[in-house]
């Protein structure tokens, strides 16, 4: 086994992403010591039972002492609190990163509170499931998935490269881009789709002429997929929408315009326009499968034959 890339890695928050990181770092020998912090006693108890870390801490400040890499895996709205907690105990030269799906807000929350002798290099692994908690993680979560690294303008190139190597070692494909562009891209590829899923499931539940038992009993494939997405962690997604509101509202505006146009096409029986839209969207689906970001298996591979 080669020497680990980092002597000590601190993971703050041991939910789905944090526990997957701990498992993957362990499996690939990327750290000499894995320190885990979580303010939930139940999460720490499960992390200990699962053997996820070498040391477990109720406070993030204790976990980050002597850490070469610190990764915040908390809802984006808690980023400022984390930065304040760890600022005095960070090792000079440490890399501080995160896994949030909003980057501009995370930078604005964390940067003012971190000492000048550490390197803030935000990142976002575009991977996940609808499950949460320490038991939900698995080491393969990041394999052949994209991780977007969003360096600051003055980020140390060596620190950025170290983080890129780290994510590649976890099996991820890595892309770098600016934080604002990231937030716009994720608004269309992730945030608004989740918002639509939450809304359509809520609409079905509130529909007075359809009972809740009928909604569950007669769920077709499309609605089932919406419910899977809508089952995601409510705290995490509440923070995503509050902290990426500008990009989400911009994309929602465009989506609303397109939805009204689609409504008009259905109302007036414009078959050619409907067919053209459905053909273009079908091609997108096939393209996602073609680059290995999804499987063509029945039910998208989520049901065993």
């Amino acid at each position: 086994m080669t020497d680990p890339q980092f002597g000590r890695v601190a993971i703050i928050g041991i939910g789905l992403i944090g526990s997957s990181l701990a498992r993957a770092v362990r499996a690939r020998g990327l750290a000499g010591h894995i320190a885990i912090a979580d303010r939930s006693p139940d999460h720490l108890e499960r992390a200990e039972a699962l053997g996820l870390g070498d040391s477990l801490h109720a406070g993030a400040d204790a976990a980050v002492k002597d850490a070469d890499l610190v990764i915040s895996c908390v809802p984006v709205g808690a980023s400022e609190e984390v930065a304040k907690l760890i600022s005095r105990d960070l090792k000079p030269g440490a890399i501080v990163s995160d896994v949030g799906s909003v980057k501009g807000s995370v930078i604005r929350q964390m940067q003012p509170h971190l000492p000048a002798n550490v390197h803030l290099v935000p990142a976002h692994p575009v991977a996940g499931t609808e499950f949460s908690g320490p038991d939900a993680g698995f080491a393969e979560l990041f394999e052949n998935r994209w991780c977007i690294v969003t360096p600051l303008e003055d980020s140390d190139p060596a620190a950025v490269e170290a983080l890129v190597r780290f994510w590649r070692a976890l099996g991820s494909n890595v892309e770098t881009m600016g934080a604002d562009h990231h937030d716009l891209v994720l608004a269309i590829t992730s945030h608004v789709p989740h918002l639509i899923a939450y809304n359509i499931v809520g609409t079905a539940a509130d529909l007075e002429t359809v009972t809740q038992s009928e909604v569950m009993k007669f769920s077709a494939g499309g609605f089932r997929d919406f419910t899977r997405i809508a089952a995601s962690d409510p705290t995490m997604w509440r923070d995503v929408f509050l902290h990426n509101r500008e990009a989400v509202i911009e994309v929602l505006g465009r989506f609303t315009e397109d939805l009204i146009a689609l409504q008009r096409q259905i109302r007036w029986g414009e078959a050619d326009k409907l067919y053209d839209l459905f053909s273009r969207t079908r091609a997108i689906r096939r393209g996602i499968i073609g680059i290995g970001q999804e499987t063509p298996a029945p039910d998208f591979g989520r049901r065993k034959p």
Side-chain angles (χ1 to χ4, degrees):
M1 181 179 293
T2 59
D3 291 336
Q5 183 181 356
F6 296 102
R8 180 182 175 105
V9 171
I11 299 172
I12 304 171
I14 197 67
L16 167 66
I17 300 297
S19 64
S20 295
L21 267 173
R23 289 174 168 91
V25 169
R26 175 86 74 201
R28 294 172 183 259
L30 298 178
H33 182 102
I34 300 172
I36 290 172
D38 200 295
R39 59 185 177 185
S40 166
D42 292 340
H43 281 188
L44 288 178
E45 183 178 342
R46 287 304 300 153
E48 182 177 20
L50 294 167
L52 298 181
D54 299 298
S55 62
L56 304 173
H57 309 269
D61 50 350
V64 304
K65 288 181 179 178
D66 298 319
D68 305 291
L69 173 63
V70 176
I71 305 180
S72 174
C73 301
V74 301
V76 293
S79 299
E80 182 175 16
E81 179 185 356
V82 167
K84 289 178 178 178
L85 283 172
I86 67 177
S87 60
R88 295 184 179 180
D89 295 282
L90 289 168
K91 173 183 177 180
I95 299 171
V96 178
S97 191
D98 78 307
V99 296
S101 71
V102 180
K103 298 272 66 87
S105 176
V106 167
I107 292 171
R108 291 190 293 273
Q109 290 181 71
M110 298 190 79
Q111 187 178 24
H113 304 289
L114 298 178
N117 60 1
V118 303
H119 309 293
L120 176 61
V121 187
H124 173 210
V126 187
T129 72
E130 66 271 31
F131 303 108
S132 58
D135 291 277
F138 51 99
E140 302 79 17
L141 178 64
F142 312 109
E143 292 181 4
N144 198 33
R145 293 291 177 258
W146 284 94
C147 180
I148 303 174
V149 177
T150 60
L152 283 63
E153 289 186 2
D154 59 350
S155 288
D156 177 63
V160 175
E161 178 56 31
L163 190 68
V164 168
R165 289 202 317 272
F166 172 78
W167 280 106
R168 284 180 176 156
L170 294 175
S172 294
N173 308 308
V174 180
E175 179 106 1
T176 61
M177 65 177 66
D180 290 342
H181 187 64
H182 165 279
D183 290 352
L184 183 60
V185 170
L186 267 294
I188 186 61
T189 62
S190 176
H191 302 166
V192 169
H194 273 80
L195 194 65
I196 294 168
Y198 281 119
N199 195 60
I200 193 64
V201 173
T203 297
D206 293 340
L207 197 62
E208 294 181 357
T209 56
V210 178
T211 69
Q212 189 167 351
S213 63
E214 287 174 322
V215 167
M216 291 187 285
K217 185 189 300 183
F218 303 121
S219 292
F223 187 77
R224 285 200 304 272
D225 276 343
F226 275 128
T227 61
R228 180 187 64 81
I229 296 171
S232 300
D233 183 82
T235 300
M236 180 186 76
W237 282 101
R238 175 203 65 192
D239 284 9
V240 165
F241 293 123
L242 291 178
H243 289 267
N244 198 28
R245 68 183 72 189
E246 290 84 4
V248 167
I249 289 172
E250 179 179 343
V251 173
L252 268 178
R254 173 61 184 270
F255 174 79
T256 301
E257 293 171 1
D258 291 343
L259 189 61
I260 292 171
L262 180 59
Q263 181 186 38
R264 187 179 300 113
Q265 291 164 15
I266 295 172
R267 180 185 300 278
W268 297 110
E270 296 177 339
D272 290 344
K273 291 182 179 179
L274 289 172
Y275 184 85
D276 178 64
L277 172 64
F278 301 156
S279 297
R280 288 188 289 114
T281 56
R282 187 184 193 188
I284 294 291
R285 170 66 188 174
R286 290 176 171 175
I288 291 172
I289 293 173
I291 63 174
Q293 294 302 299
E294 182 58 286
T295 171
D299 276 353
F300 312 122
R302 287 190 284 274
R303 184 178 67 183
K304 293 181 179 180

